[in-house]
Each structure stands twice: as C-alpha cells, then as structure tokens.
Amino acid sequence: MNRPTISVLLPVRNGMPYLRDALLSLLGQTFGDFEVLVLDDGSDDGGPAMARTLGDGRIQVHEDARRIGLAARLNQGVRLARGELIARMDADDICLPRRFEVQSTYLSAHPEVDLVGCRAAVFRQAGEVLGLLPFAASHEALCARPWHTIPLPHPTWLGRREWFMRNPYRIPEVVRAEDQELLVRASVTSRYACVPEVLLAYRLAAPDLRKLLVARRSQLLAQVRLLALRREWSGVMLALACGALKSGRDVAAAAGRRSGYRVHPHHAQLDPATLRELALALEGRA
C-alpha cells in the first residue's frame, strides 16, 4: 500500500453521537491523501462499529477493549502512523474542508517548522458560534508565556512524524493537560506556528468544574516541573500565581454555569465568508 501524506490520530472513548460528524468532516477535506486512525480506548457505545460502516478505506479502527488513557493511545497512534505528517483530531470537533490543504502547504513552505496549528472557532451544542480560541502566529509569540499557556489548540495540530517520534506524550499521563505538557517540554528544541485561517470548529461542552480543576492542576504541576528543571524561577512563580487565578475563574464560571475557557468574541474577527463556511460545516452537526 502507498503511504499517505497525513495520518490523523483520532482517539475516542464513547464518542457517540459526535464521532460520525467528526469523521465526515475529515472525509470532506479538499486534501484527500490521508489515513484516519480511530484509536478506541475501551468504548462500549458502538462508536468503532459505526466508524466502519462509513465504508471509506482511509478509516482504520484500532480497538482492544482496554482503557489505557489518552496519552498512551496517542503514542500508539504515532507508532502506527504511516504518513510523513501527523494530524490531531478530537471526536466531537469539526474540520473545515481546507484544513489539511492549508496546513500541509504551510509545512511544505516552512521546513524549519515542526508543528503547525490553525485558528479554531468555538461553538455550542446548538451550533451557535461563540467566538475564537486565543491565537498567536509565530513560535516566539506562542511560547512567550509558557507559565500561562501555549495557545496552540491540540485538535488543530499538524506536525512532522519525526517530531512526534522524538517527543512522545508523557507517561504517566498528564491528565487533561497532555498537550500543554508536551508543548512546554518540547518548546526549546522545536519550532511551532499557527496559520491565521479558521479551519476547525471546537465544540464547547457544558461546564464541568471537576474536569476544569483537574486540567488546571495537571497543567500547573507540569509547568512548575518543567520550568524548575530549566531553573526559570520567575516562570515558576508566575505559573503558581496564574494557576490560582485560573482556578478562581473556573469556580466563578461554574457557579454562573459558564465555561472557564477564554473565548474571544468573533465580532470584527470573522469575515462573512468564514462565517458562512462555519455555518455550512456545522449545519445538522450540533
């Protein structure tokens, strides 16, 4: 079999009812030279069987009835990947049609870049576009505040396979912050970028305070550990202060039944053509 250009890592555990729409958004890409590795982590909702019914040979379902965690599944996917590039995708998000075309073109034109993301629009269950996730374009801007966050959303990643091989996800897993731990850990020896086009729709789930606080704690511990190893003591102090502020914001947001995620309103940021494209991508997929 010919090797595809892109291998898409799509880990899932009980991803119904959104998995089908995520897969269909991948199959609708203008750049079609890819494989999708559906990495099941012990689902019992029929999602893997549904993925097979789509009848596209690019979709490969890997399941073993075990729960080993997200980071372990992603490392498994990197080992299985045959493409020279590896993309990330979550089971409840939606790719816009030109995502792989734009990002693969960028990596071809910028051989010094290891990992590229894209802008992500945030939508609710009802399909309402709320705004955009934070954005920075260059490696320097993305990594300016490692004690806060590196604003490169995990499901938007497209990177070189050798980068993922050199930088595996940490085991034991950094629960709900595996992406930030990896970005901070690899930032000194890597080059990141993010294209300005909105190429992914990120589904905003109902606020869950426990999950938010677990994510904040995991990210904070990872940041402090990595910054301390580099003897960046001012960064350690900033991470501690920032972690406390974020947790307080999460508690306040949960009390008001709002999400703790930072979302920038899209007014004056999304042009009419992009809004129309988002509406078409989300139509019937909320």
Side-chain angles (χ1 to χ4, degrees), residues 12-253:
V12 61
R13 180 177 182 274
N14 292 338
M16 300 287 276
Y18 305 127
L19 177 60
R20 178 183 176 85
D21 290 333
L23 288 170
L24 289 176
S25 76
L26 290 171
L27 298 181
Q29 291 292 297
T30 56
F31 183 96
D33 186 19
F34 61 83
E35 63 180 357
V36 182
L37 306 181
V38 178
L39 306 165
D40 183 66
D41 196 42
S43 295
D44 57 12
D45 65 348
M50 180 281 300
R52 292 188 178 95
T53 68
L54 294 179
D56 192 302
R58 292 174 293 181
I59 298 175
Q60 303 172 26
V61 179
H62 298 270
E63 57 180 331
D64 55 20
R66 297 184 299 151
R67 287 190 63 186
I68 62 175
L70 176 57
R73 288 298 175 196
L74 289 171
N75 287 335
Q76 174 193 18
V78 172
R79 294 191 298 270
L80 292 169
R82 298 183 301 122
E84 62 186 70
L85 303 176
I86 290 179
R88 275 284 290 112
M89 178 67 176
D90 284 341
D92 58 348
D93 295 333
I94 303 294
C95 277
L96 272 65
R98 295 179 61 247
R99 178 190 165 189
F100 292 162
E101 177 188 346
V102 171
Q103 289 184 295
S104 63
T105 298
Y106 183 93
L107 286 178
S108 294
H110 297 84
E112 75 283 1
V113 172
D114 299 292
L115 185 71
V116 65
C118 64
R119 294 221 75 171
V122 180
F123 71 102
R124 289 192 191 276
Q125 307 286 29
E128 174 193 3
V129 178
L130 301 177
L132 301 170
L133 290 180
F135 166 76
S138 69
H139 179 82
E140 289 73 20
L142 286 162
C143 299
R145 300 191 297 170
W147 43 266
H148 182 275
T149 193
I150 295 179
L152 198 62
H154 201 185
T156 73
W157 293 6
L158 179 70
R160 305 185 193 279
R161 184 176 185 274
E162 57 267 28
W163 182 84
F164 283 93
M165 295 292 289
R166 291 196 312 267
N167 301 285
Y169 291 88
R170 182 184 168 193
I171 303 294
E173 182 176 338
V174 182
V175 180
R176 306 191 73 82
E178 72 291 327
D179 56 334
Q180 284 297 307
E181 190 279 336
L182 174 52
L183 287 173
V184 175
R185 169 163 44 93
S187 61
V188 175
T189 58
S190 305
R191 296 294 295 178
Y192 308 145
C194 193
V195 296
E197 290 92 339
V198 176
L199 300 171
L200 182 114
Y202 179 91
R203 188 185 302 271
L204 190 64
D208 185 320
L209 181 59
R210 184 189 66 80
K211 290 181 179 179
L212 283 171
L213 293 179
V214 167
R216 298 300 190 202
R217 179 179 181 276
S218 294
Q219 181 175 340
L220 175 60
L221 291 176
Q223 288 168 328
V224 168
R225 173 180 172 274
L226 292 168
L227 292 170
L229 285 173
R230 298 176 189 170
R231 299 184 180 277
E232 297 179 15
W233 305 117
S234 60
V236 169
M237 298 306 295
L238 287 167
L240 291 169
C242 188
L245 287 172
K246 287 180 178 179
S247 296
R249 186 181 68 194
D250 292 337
V251 172

Side-chain angles (χ1 to χ4, degrees), residues 270-280:
L270 289 178
D271 59 84
T274 301
L275 280 172
R276 286 194 298 271
E277 189 174 25
L278 277 168
L280 288 172

